[in-house]
Amino acid sequence: EVRHQLGGVTLRTDNGTVFEADYAIVAVPLGVLQSGDVAFSPALESDVQQAVDAIAVGNIVKVVLRFASGWWVQAQTQQFFGIAQAGSARGLFNFFVNGHQTLGAY
């Protein structure tokens, strides 16, 4: 339980251990926050709780491609996955890592 009151914060664990502090930063996985296993007193504001409940978590698929040359470097572009910039696929491949400097390979 995370209890916030005038003058500080009290944290009570499942085994009954109590921690008291002036401030607390609660950093738990989203699934734990959504499960309700962490009780807040007073309760989170309704707009904050609605935002927590609305966030979805899904699977992430990583694909590693190795090329004979860094053709995107010669083209002076980082838009490797530019085909995913429009339409229903927008954002599908939104992250590209160039491993040449670290791995010595394209």
Side-chain angles (χ1 to χ4, degrees):
E1 176 187 26
V2 180
R3 180 178 295 274
H4 179 259
Q5 54 207 7
L6 198 60
V9 179
T10 303
L11 306 172
R12 185 180 312 274
T13 66
D14 284 344
N15 67 9
T17 304
V18 175
F19 299 93
E20 293 182 351
D22 294 333
Y23 303 94
I25 297 174
V26 179
V28 297
L30 179 61
V32 172
L33 197 56
Q34 289 176 332
S35 73
D37 287 346
V38 179
F40 292 92
S41 179
L44 296 176
E45 294 181 16
S46 62
D47 58 338
V48 172
Q49 187 62 54
Q50 287 174 356
V52 167
D53 294 339
I55 297 173
V57 179
N59 295 328
I60 296 177
V61 177
K62 297 177 185 178
V63 178
V64 177
L65 305 172
R66 184 171 179 179
F67 297 94
S69 66
W71 50 266
W72 58 90
V73 175
Q74 289 84 9
Q76 296 182 349
T77 181
Q78 293 297 316
Q79 295 291 328
F80 179 83
F81 291 114
I83 59 170
Q85 296 298 319
S88 63
R90 181 183 172 99
L92 187 59
F93 301 105
N94 60 355
F95 186 67
F96 173 65
V97 176
N98 182 354
H100 176 64
Q101 291 182 333
T102 305
L103 304 172
Y106 291 104

